[in-house]
Amino acid sequence: MSLRTTAADYVTDVSPGSGALPARTRYAVSDAMSRSLNGRWRFRLSPAADTEDESFAAPGFDAGEWAEIEVPGHWVLQGHGTPIYTNHLYPFPVDPPHVPTENPTGDHLHVFDLPSGWPEDGGAVLRFDGVESCARVWLNGTDIGEFKGSRLPHEFAVGHLLRPRGNVLAVRVHQWSAGSYLEDQDQWWLPGIFRDVTLLHRPPGCVADFFVHAAYDHLTGKGTLRVDSDVDGRVSVPALDIDVATGEPVTVPVTPWTAETPRLYDGVLATEGERVPLRIGFRTVTLADGLIKVNGRPILFKGVNRHEWHPERGRALDPDTMRADVLLMKRHNINAVRTSHYPPHPAFLDLCDEYGLWVIDECDLETHGFTEQNWRDNPVDDDRWTPALLDRAARMVERDKNHPSVVLWSLGNEAGTGRGLTAMAEWIHGRDPSRLVHYEGDANCRDTDVHSRMYAYHEEVERIGLGLDGGPQRRRELPFIQCEYAHAMGNGPGGLSEYQELFESHERLQGGFVWEWIDHGIKDERFGYAYGGDFGEELHDANFVCDGLLFPDRTPSPGLVEYAKVIEPVRIAGDPADGTVRVTNRHDFADLSALAFEWAYQADGETLATGTLPVPPSLSPGESAEVELPEPPGAVPAGAETHWIVRALLARDTAWAPRGHVVAWGQLRAGTRPVPAPVHPTTAPVRGPGTLTLGPAAFDARTGAPTSIGGVEVRDLRLDVWRAPTDNDNGAGWQREPRHGLLWRTLGLHRMHHRLDAVEVGADALTVRTRVAPAASDLGLRTVYRWTSDGTRLRLTVAVTPEGDWRLPLPRLGVRLGLPGPAHRVTWYGGGPGEAYPDTRAAALLARWESTVDALQTPYVRPQENGARADVRWAEIGGLRIEGDPAFCLTARRWTTEQLDAAAHLTDLVPGDTVWVNLDHAQMGIGTQSCGPGPLPAHHLHAEPAEFSFVFTQSTASVKSVRSTT
Ligand code: GAL
């Protein structure tokens, strides 16, 4: 009896597949005909891959009963099955190359006609730009091959099979395959034909593959162009008067391409059968003097890691979404993208060329789950898998080699180490010596050209910057980047400014890529946005998939606003006491001629005067100019706090933002900060039946707690140290350092007891003595509230003295109170417009701001502490005016901290009828410990004696002028 092989053996075959054409360059259009096969396809889902029934692929099969599905798309996002999220765990038993019997398999069918005028001569190619994870393809009943490599293109020669009408394209897609072992990226597992399917006519004499070599010599200012093509032809670039044969180099003066100045030249490659448009960017990438240089100059990456994501369509991105990403990046001063962790839709790279972004193009490779078995059986160290790895490398490099934006190739992510990776690096270096090779997992930089780390702490980054790191000599001679840092999960990341300072002070540090661009929340009416576990997955990593600078709907999070400020390409600083401001050009290539500068003079947050500032447009990268400020305007109210604000704006419309878009700004203190007007305690507390009154306030005589202030009802005012832990407070399970969120909860800071020790009615003050402490602990905070009044103003001074051996910082320190009456509008003079915490406050501009309680909330996909406005001098809410002495941090929400803490999704937050206001003397920093360092020591809120005051009055003046944008 012979052993029967099943039709599905190709699924677990480690080879890359069979039948596909060799990898080649991918270009959007030529004058050859093509037809998109995107659209509605027939679809049937089977629970297993072992079906031998291929009858659906035969012409004449009746799929009338089948469902319909959108291609490109993932079937699990279209009502068939459900998505699974794991960070690094394989959601199936690890036994490579085997996959489970339960292997959801989607049969896709599409019947199409050739467009009229489809030429009869020549051939045709059927192209799949992306299918997860393994597909077998039939055209008109003929099996044309099968492939793996989800985010890579595969093409088949199909000319001989086509007929004018009624072509039947059948594609069987398996969710799991041997390829899944190579695609263990931290993201949703989303099977389907998720990128375009296209039929391309290939005329006789058409272009097969071509390689545009466009170098720039910064010493001569000349570019050298040579287009190698498999098929001879001519290359013309009208703007440069170039008309040469393929393979022939030509050197002419050019404007080079950089991410800051993305000059592209339109050209044409014409062969006998086809004309292919070229977009040529002249630039040269080198590793010189231990630095990554482009056109002779070191560059600084201000990057992000970008996964492809859309909250409804998953990784099936439409052109508008891709463009939106690029525009958002450019508008937030981002200059680089690592295409984590696979080559993106090719149209994205066209946009990077056009708008200007440095790209690290990363191969579709991650085997992270093997870490669970100490990397045993890792495919990258097993020669049987090497052909698949080389196939992936080739499909990436060949597809993307003609993009000037791509400056580094990355072998993949978190795949351990092994011979297969070395083979990939060798092949890439040989095929394209014009770019550098990156792979973070190559700790010794044996195969790679840059020392790359992820989530290295500030301290270590500094040591590397200073050249004090150990390790092999080769690595010590290489430039350093953080391919991932500043984990943007939930509230944060904190510590960006300090990283940027390091990057800017040490030449060897060539910047980094924030993890990551967008939250991968899935739109879901049950939850708002779903994350891991919401689909009943057996294994999952919860909201670790929501760690982006954008919310799932692409609204910028405060983290992105902060990042934009921290990496702004113009630094505006100095001490205006000497009448000047220092403007530094922090571009790598551009002067300042694209920018216009404006100043504003502010008193107590109100703008008194504005004007333009003459900053030399020719200021070169790295240079600074001391620019004279005008005379401060007269008529500044006595005692006002004054500031200069200088803004750098786009002087003209650009492709990515209109004229007037603010690229950079600086706020410089002009005068000293005045102290709030004192409250002279002239009024004595008066006892009534069950109440005490003091100036404008009434108190409960038993507890000493205020019940109304200036006629505004107030409840439950008391010390508060708890915040709903952020993802960064909770930290990742593998962190070595203490994870404060968990320690706080263990200690019981969320369940403090407030013991009342005394209510003392004095001649000029009401004093309430308490001790605030968690059960089962001897730690406590002795807290004294002292109330005084001058008849109209009410001052509260809170004195806190820690008792016991406090070894951990506090989440927050301040008072919270409830406003049961209507409170909707909030106005304040302080940092804004967005939230700011001790280590996420670079983008907070001191001004007068107006918002609503609802708009103050930051909608982190998993609810957590959010929305604090920092450095608040005064705020008005619900009829109360609150002045801080010193400035305070303000939050206001329609739910309690306890409710916020208990919520798992935004839909769990139901507004109550009380607005809860926190007036914090201080908050703990945020850090980025959800993957990386916690808050730096300078941003810890130590439990130590503290005293702070607030002055309450009835709110009177409405805010005269309110800025709503920076
Ligand atoms: C890295 C990994 C990313 C992501 C990140 C945490 O180790 O490369 O893919 O998992 O951690 O969000």
Side-chain angles (χ1 to χ4, degrees):
M1 212 174 76
S2 69
L3 196 64
R4 200 170 61 91
T5 58
T6 69
D9 277 354
Y10 64 91
V11 174
T12 51
D13 185 345
V14 297
S15 86
S18 64
L21 291 166
R24 64 177 187 125
T25 188
R26 164 76 160 75
Y27 47 88
V29 285
S30 80
D31 64 348
M33 257 185 129
S34 66
R35 186 196 194 288
S36 166
L37 300 179
N38 294 349
R40 303 294 292 174
W41 289 38
R42 289 290 183 176
F43 178 76
R44 171 183 68 183
L45 183 64
S46 310
D50 59 356
T51 169
E52 286 178 23
D53 177 8
E54 296 169 6
S55 58
F56 84 106
F61 179 83
D62 180 7
E65 298 294 302
W66 287 23
E68 279 202 343
I69 203 172
E70 193 66 30
V71 170
H74 306 279
W75 68 71
V76 290
L77 297 183
Q78 298 185 61
H80 307 274
T82 47
I84 299 170
Y85 167 57
T86 55
N87 165 10
H88 77 279
L89 297 176
Y90 288 105
F92 47 78
V94 179
D95 181 22
H98 304 289
V99 295
T101 304
E102 304 81 34
N103 187 358
T105 292
D107 289 335
H108 297 67
L109 258 189
H110 190 56
V111 179
F112 64 93
D113 298 337
L114 294 181
S116 63
W118 189 272
E120 287 190 357
D121 59 348
V125 159
L126 175 63
R127 181 175 66 205
F128 294 90
D129 279 313
V131 182
E132 180 170 331
S133 81
C134 169
R136 185 161 175 212
V137 189
W138 295 261
L139 184 62
N140 293 329
T142 301
D143 180 353
I144 59 172
E146 28 77 26
F147 62 90
K148 308 179 193 82
S150 299
R151 297 106 201 174
L152 293 162
H154 294 85
E155 291 183 320
F156 296 88
V158 294
H160 59 297
L161 298 173
L162 288 173
R163 44 197 191 214
R165 308 191 65 76
N167 293 285
V168 179
L169 175 58
V171 188
R172 173 162 281 170
V173 182
H174 308 285
Q175 170 151 22
W176 309 122
S177 69
S180 306
Y181 284 99
L182 305 181
E183 294 173 6
D184 190 24
Q185 292 95 343
D186 174 5
Q187 60 179 348
W188 295 97
W189 298 88
L190 297 177
I193 305 174
F194 72 98
R195 286 187 190 156
D196 308 298
V197 185
T198 316
L199 185 69
L200 307 159
H201 178 241
R202 305 309 299 134
C206 66
V207 178
D209 189 16
F210 62 90
F211 199 159
V212 176
H213 303 279
Y216 179 72
D217 182 341
H218 64 281
L219 298 175
T220 62
K222 290 184 177 168
T224 298
L225 176 69
R226 192 189 78 231
V227 179
D228 293 336
S229 167
D230 291 8
V231 172
D232 288 346
R234 289 201 74 76
V235 177
S236 56
V237 186
L240 295 174
D241 275 338
I242 289 178
D243 182 2
V244 290
T246 51
E248 197 181 297
V250 52
T251 300
V252 290
V254 297
T255 304
W257 187 97
T258 73
E260 293 167 8
T261 53
R263 176 70 165 100
L264 289 175
Y265 290 92
D266 286 321
V268 174
L269 164 61
T271 62
E272 195 192 324
E274 191 177 20
R275 289 170 61 82
V276 180
L278 306 175
R279 306 212 77 194
I280 303 164
F282 291 87
R283 52 119 194 84
T284 292
V285 183
T286 50
L287 180 64
D289 312 317
L291 298 171
I292 303 169
K293 293 190 181 178
V294 178
N295 303 337
R297 290 196 206 171
I299 56 173
L300 187 63
F301 291 120
K302 302 168 179 176
V304 284
N305 281 279
R306 175 181 179 270
H307 266 290
E308 296 185 307
W309 190 248
H310 185 281
E312 286 159 283
R313 293 188 297 274
R315 290 188 285 275
L317 291 200
D318 58 293
D320 287 348
T321 303
M322 292 186 247
R323 189 175 297 268
D325 277 352
V326 170
L327 294 181
L328 279 163
M329 288 177 191
K330 293 292 290 186
R331 288 175 191 165
H332 288 89
N333 296 330
I334 287 164
N335 73 358
V337 189
R338 173 175 177 232
T339 69
S340 55
H341 299 302
Y342 41 81
H345 188 291
F348 180 75
L349 296 179
D350 292 334
L351 296 168
C352 294
D353 294 344
E354 184 181 332
Y355 290 93
L357 288 165
W358 308 117
V359 175
I360 299 185
D361 196 356
E362 188 150 277
C363 198
D364 191 3
L365 174 62
E366 174 158 343
T367 63
H368 199 174
F370 285 88
T371 186
E372 292 295 308
Q373 52 202 60
N374 207 12
W375 298 102
R376 186 165 33 80
D377 293 338
N378 185 2
V380 307
D381 205 19
D382 177 339
D383 293 340
R384 287 172 297 176
W385 292 81
T386 304
L389 304 182
L390 290 173
D391 181 72
R392 284 169 187 251
R395 286 188 188 282
M396 168 179 74
V397 171
E398 299 300 0
R399 189 193 80 164
D400 296 341
K401 59 185 180 272
N402 292 325
H403 288 283
S405 55
V406 176
V407 288
L408 277 85
W409 301 114
S410 177
L411 304 181
N413 184 59
E414 296 187 314
T417 53
R419 300 188 296 281
L421 289 162
T422 301
M424 289 171 84
E426 276 171 5
W427 184 86
I428 295 175
H429 275 129
R431 175 64 178 141
D432 181 19
S434 75
R435 293 177 174 97
L436 308 180
V437 171
H438 167 270
Y439 173 58
E440 181 269 347
D442 181 15
N444 293 333
C445 299
R446 212 183 85 138
D447 302 323
T448 50
D449 304 311
V450 48
H451 179 196
S452 172
R453 286 287 312 279
M454 44 173 80
Y455 309 106
Y457 289 22
H458 297 80
E459 208 184 295
E460 185 185 358
V461 171
E462 180 166 34
R463 266 202 315 280
I464 296 171
L466 290 166
L468 299 176
D469 51 325
Q473 189 61 24
R474 168 164 168 79
R475 191 179 80 190
R476 298 187 58 191
E477 287 167 1
L478 292 179
F480 177 81
I481 65 167
Q482 287 241 64
C483 69
E484 294 178 28
Y485 80 114
H487 197 246
M489 184 180 184
N491 187 335
L496 282 171
S497 300
E498 291 88 349
Y499 273 122
Q500 194 61 27
E501 254 177 68
L502 292 171
F503 296 158
E504 291 180 6
S505 359
H506 304 280
E507 204 179 30
R508 185 185 180 198
L509 307 179
Q510 293 199 265
F513 296 77
V514 165
W515 185 268
E516 66 175 305
W517 178 235
I518 183 168
D519 287 342
H520 310 206
I522 295 180
K523 194 159 185 206
D524 186 312
E525 59 185 31
R526 296 169 299 166
F527 306 116
Y529 292 106
Y531 51 77
D534 288 339
F535 299 99
E537 299 106 293
E538 181 182 349
L539 292 174
H540 67 82
D541 287 288
N543 65 318
F544 203 61
V545 77
C546 290
D547 52 1
L549 294 171
L550 295 179
F551 294 113
D553 66 357
R554 291 193 152 64
T555 309
S557 76
L560 180 56
V561 177
E562 173 84 359
Y563 192 39
K565 177 75 178 86
V566 166
I567 58 177
E568 58 192 8
V570 178
R571 191 65 21 104
I572 296 162
D575 178 4
D578 65 4
T580 63
V581 58
R582 191 171 60 258
V583 176
T584 307
N585 179 358
R586 300 228 49 116
H587 288 100
D588 291 326
F589 297 93
D591 62 20
L592 298 185
S593 54
L595 303 176
F597 288 78
E598 286 180 358
W599 60 264
Y601 191 84
Q602 253 187 0
D604 287 339
E606 264 192 285
T607 299
L608 298 189
T610 59
T612 56
L613 197 71
V615 175
S618 59
L619 198 70
S620 311
E623 280 189 358
S624 298
E626 303 288 333
V627 184
E628 217 166 298
L629 289 163
E631 277 299 305
V636 176
E641 180 179 25
T642 50
H643 288 100
W644 291 97
I645 301 174
V646 174
R647 294 186 173 86
L649 330 154
L650 287 181
R652 288 170 292 280
D653 289 349
T654 65
W656 48 270
R659 174 171 175 259
H661 165 83
V662 177
V663 167
W665 57 271
Q667 184 169 35
L668 316 169
R669 178 175 294 286
T672 48
R673 190 176 170 225
V675 190
V679 176
H680 299 292
T682 53
T683 312
V686 180
R687 282 187 191 276
T691 62
L692 288 166
T693 51
L694 176 63
F699 295 80
D700 180 315
R702 193 179 52 83
T703 63
T707 52
S708 75
I709 300 175
V712 175
E713 196 183 339
V714 170
R715 49 181 284 219
D716 296 335
L717 184 148
R718 62 189 201 186
L719 188 83
D720 196 4
V721 294
W722 180 240
R723 74 181 182 196
T726 64
D727 293 317
N728 286 314
D729 289 337
N730 288 334
W734 59 82
Q735 297 285 355
R736 298 183 305 272
E737 290 78 9
R739 294 153 62 199
H740 291 120
L742 306 188
L743 296 178
W744 291 335
R745 205 182 288 280
T746 309
L747 175 60
L749 296 186
H750 59 307
R751 47 173 172 77
M752 297 293 258
H753 291 245
H754 294 249
R755 189 182 76 206
L756 182 61
D757 291 339
V759 177
E760 297 166 2
V761 179
D764 60 358
L766 168 65
T767 305
V768 180
R769 299 184 187 279
T770 68
R771 186 174 187 276
V772 182
S777 170
D778 66 346
L779 299 183
L781 301 166
R782 191 112 357 231
T783 304
V784 179
Y785 307 84
R786 186 164 195 276
W787 299 91
T788 54
S789 176
D790 61 6
T792 47
R793 290 151 55 85
L794 178 74
R795 182 180 176 103
L796 164 64
T797 298
V798 183
V800 180
T801 315
E803 293 180 342
D805 186 12
W806 283 87
R807 300 225 168 162
L808 75 179
L810 296 171
R812 64 160 19 114
L813 183 67
V815 295
R816 73 115 211 255
L817 63 151
L819 297 177
H824 173 63
R825 194 162 160 255
V826 186
T827 53
W828 74 98
Y829 168 37
E835 72 179 30
Y837 290 81
D839 52 351
T840 63
R841 58 189 288 177
L845 178 82
L846 279 180
R848 295 199 189 188
W849 302 101
E850 173 168 14
S851 186
T852 61
V853 171
D854 293 332
L856 287 182
Q857 314 309 309
T858 308
Y860 294 113
V861 172
R862 186 192 73 81
Q864 53 196 277
E865 164 63 30
N866 73 84
R869 272 31 182 205
D871 298 316
V872 175
R873 276 77 170 131
W874 57 255
E876 295 194 356
I877 178 169
L880 276 186
R881 180 181 171 93
I882 306 154
E883 286 165 46
D885 182 11
F888 62 100
C889 191
L890 171 74
T891 51
R893 41 178 80 103
R894 295 187 188 283
W895 33 80
T896 60
T897 296
E898 291 69 23
Q899 287 165 330
L900 182 64
D901 188 18
H905 294 94
L906 287 167
T907 45
D908 296 336
L909 293 171
V910 182
D913 52 12
T914 296
V915 169
W916 292 97
V917 179
N918 274 89
L919 310 174
D920 289 318
H921 176 53
Q923 280 234 14
M924 172 76 174
I926 296 293
T928 174
Q929 210 189 6
S930 56
C931 191
L936 289 168
H939 305 305
H940 281 216
L941 171 54
H942 297 292
E944 54 195 18
E947 190 175 291
F948 46 94
S949 302
F950 304 100
V951 176
F952 298 89
T953 43
Q954 214 172 342
S955 68
T956 46
S958 65
V959 178
K960 274 192 247 148
S961 96
V962 165
R963 295 195 56 82
S964 58
T965 59
T966 55

